[in-house]
Amino acid sequence: MKGEAHTNNIENFWSHVKRTIIGTYFQVSDHHLESYINEFSFRYNNRDLTDGSRFDVTLANAEKRLTYKELIARRTKRA
């Protein structure tokens, strides 16, 4: 069944998202919602990898460091 999509897949994904927000983050700001969803999507799509392999994939896809100053600058642009 790999490669097929079903309603159960998206329901399972959103279930993981809701449990992570409630159990880990407690709340999520609208400003950072897209970043949280990107993180959840990455975790969900790579859930079968070991932690070490997932870390390797993360490093391979990292483009650059995000500084706090850049993060704050993005916030003021959206507001």
Side-chain angles (χ1 to χ4, degrees):
M1 292 202 100
K2 192 169 188 166
E4 293 185 27
H6 302 277
T7 20
N8 287 350
N9 296 97
I10 193 65
E11 288 176 5
N12 189 23
F13 172 79
W14 286 114
S15 173
H16 281 278
V17 170
K18 288 188 283 186
R19 280 183 285 164
T20 303
I21 289 172
I22 292 167
T24 304
Y25 299 112
F26 306 110
Q27 75 175 28
V28 173
S29 71
D30 293 343
H31 171 70
H32 295 292
L33 184 59
E34 183 178 355
S35 297
Y36 283 108
I37 297 300
N38 287 338
E39 176 190 348
F40 298 135
S41 177
F42 174 80
R43 288 176 184 249
Y44 187 80
N45 290 332
N46 294 288
R47 65 190 179 277
D48 295 330
L49 297 177
T50 64
D51 288 341
S53 296
R54 193 176 307 114
F55 182 73
D56 291 340
V57 170
T58 302
L59 287 180
N61 289 309
E63 295 177 12
K64 67 174 198 135
R65 182 178 75 144
L66 175 63
T67 64
Y68 183 74
K69 187 175 183 177
E70 291 171 323
L71 179 65
I72 297 303
R74 289 182 186 181
R75 183 177 193 166
T76 57
K77 288 179 186 175
R78 288 186 189 175

